[in-house]
Amino acid sequence: MTLENSFEIDPMEDKTPLLRALGERIRSLRARKGITRKKLASLAGISERHMANLELGTGNATILVLHQVAQALTCSLAELIGDVTTSSPEWLMIRELLENRSEKDLHKVRLRLIELFGADKNPGSRLSRIALIGLRGAGKSTLGRMLADRLGYPFIELSHEIEQTTGCSINEIHSLYGPVAYRRYERRALEETIQLYPEVVIATPGGLVSEAATYNNLLEHCLTVWLQATPREHMDRVIAQGDFRPMSGSKEAMQDLKLILEGRVAFYSKADVHLDTSLQPLEETMEALFAKVQAARQSAEVLN
C-alpha cells in the first residue's frame, strides 16, 4: 500500500450510526410498503440519487426532506427517525390504537396499565404517601411540613435528600454534572423515599414532572397534590425566601417563569388533588389542603 493510499478514507467509515440507522429504516419501510426506490423518490419530490444516498447513510437530509419522505411512506416522522414506538410490530400496533384518542381516554389507558404492570400490588398504600408538586414558591415546603404534622407522618424534601446523597448543592450538581445526572439522582431519591416510607409527605422539585419515568413512579406510589399559584406569586415568594436570582433577568425572568408554567401545566394537572395557594391566608390554605387530601383518600378507598 502506498503512503497516499494509506490515507484514503473509506466511504463506509464516513457514515455516522445515526445516518446509517436512518437509511436502514427507510429501506425497511419502503420494502414493507412494496415501493421501489425510484417511485419513493418521485413521491417524496427528491432525486433518485438523493434517495439512494439517504438509504446508504451518506445523505444528511433536512427536516423538510425527511418530512416529505415520511409522507411518501405514509408514516410519521417519528417512525422514520425511529423512536421507541417503532422498535417492534407490537409497539406500532399499540401506537395505532392510541393515536387520536382524547386525553381522557389516554388517562384511562395509563391507569389500566399501572394496574396491569405496576410494582405496587397494594393500591391502598399510595394513599399514605402524599406528594406535593408544583413550581418553586407554591408552598410545598411550608404546607408539606404542616400537613405532615397534622397526619403524624415524616416530612421529606426531595431536594434535600438529593443534596445529602451527593454531598453537593443542587446548583453544584447542575454545574458539575449537568441536568441529566441531576434527574438521575432525583429519580433515585424518589425511589428510595418510596421504599423507606410507607407513610410520608414529600415535597418534590418543580421539574420532576418533566421526566416521564420519575413522574409515573410518583403517580403510581403517591397521592399527588398540585399546589398552584400565579406566576407573580411564585416569583414574590421565592424572592421573599432570600433568593434574588429570579430578578436577574427582570421582565425576561417573569416571561421564562410563565413559559415554564405553561409547559408543565398539562403534567401538573394529572395530580389527584389541585389547590390554589394564593387565594387565602396560610392557616386557611392548610385547612383546605387537609380537607382535599382526606376527601381524595376516602374517595379512592371506596373505589378500591
Side-chain angles (χ1 to χ4, degrees), residues 15-265:
K15 296 185 296 184
T16 67
L18 176 62
L19 293 178
R20 187 162 51 246
L22 174 62
E24 291 172 356
R25 276 191 293 275
I26 292 175
R27 286 200 306 275
S28 175
L29 285 165
R30 179 168 64 80
R32 189 191 308 166
K33 304 285 185 179
I35 304 175
T36 65
R37 181 189 293 168
K38 182 176 182 178
K39 180 65 173 177
L40 178 58
S42 175
L43 290 171
I46 63 177
S47 70
E48 189 176 353
R49 181 177 180 180
H50 193 7
M51 182 63 69
N53 288 336
L54 283 176
E55 292 193 355
L56 288 171
T58 58
N60 194 354
T62 65
I63 290 293
L64 287 176
V65 167
L66 292 179
H67 178 63
Q68 290 168 211
V69 173
Q71 285 188 315
L73 289 167
T74 62
C75 70
S76 68
L77 189 58
E79 186 172 353
L80 191 66
I81 296 172
D83 69 357
V84 67
T85 63
T86 69
S87 58
S88 73
E90 287 294 344
W91 258 118
L92 288 170
M93 295 172 75
I94 290 170
R95 191 181 70 183
E96 177 65 24
L97 289 172
L98 298 178
E99 196 169 359
N100 298 322
R101 299 287 182 179
S102 67
E103 279 292 304
K104 185 177 181 180
D105 286 342
L106 292 174
H107 177 71
K108 292 178 181 178
V109 171
R110 182 173 60 81
L111 294 181
R112 291 298 297 272
L113 288 174
I114 289 175
E115 291 177 9
L116 184 61
F117 297 114
D120 194 344
K121 301 306 179 183
N122 179 12
S125 64
R126 71 183 286 270
L127 303 179
S128 296
R129 299 188 195 93
I130 316 299
L132 307 182
I133 63 174
L135 289 181
R136 288 183 65 197
K140 292 174 294 184
S141 298
T142 301
L143 290 168
R145 289 190 180 90
M146 295 173 72
L147 180 61
D149 288 342
R150 175 74 70 89
L151 295 171
Y153 290 176
F155 173 70
I156 297 294
E157 196 149 13
L158 215 57
S159 58
H160 291 170
E161 296 299 306
I162 296 169
E163 291 177 334
Q164 289 183 357
T165 299
T166 61
C168 302
S169 70
I170 299 299
N171 288 335
E172 288 172 335
I173 295 171
H174 279 283
S175 298
L176 294 173
Y177 308 111
V180 174
Y182 170 76
R183 293 303 175 196
R184 186 169 63 249
Y185 291 128
E186 182 181 67
R187 182 170 63 251
R188 187 182 306 166
L190 176 62
E191 290 171 349
E192 291 176 354
T193 299
I194 289 171
Q195 190 173 43
L196 289 172
Y197 296 95
E199 296 180 339
V200 66
V201 175
I202 308 170
T204 68
L208 180 144
V209 299
S210 64
E211 290 297 314
T214 307
Y215 193 31
N216 268 331
N217 198 19
L218 187 79
L219 292 171
E220 179 183 350
H221 293 94
C222 305
L223 181 74
T224 52
V225 181
W226 175 24
L227 299 182
Q228 304 168 256
T230 64
R232 171 51 60 188
E233 191 78 20
H234 282 291
M235 183 76 77
D236 291 344
R237 289 174 182 175
V238 171
I239 293 172
Q241 294 167 7
D243 187 349
F244 294 95
R245 289 173 299 169
M247 291 305 294
S248 60
S250 189
K251 293 182 179 179
E252 290 79 6
M254 177 57 73
Q255 184 60 32
D256 287 344
L257 181 62
K258 290 179 179 178
L259 289 174
I260 291 171
L261 183 57
E262 288 173 6
R264 292 178 183 171
V265 161

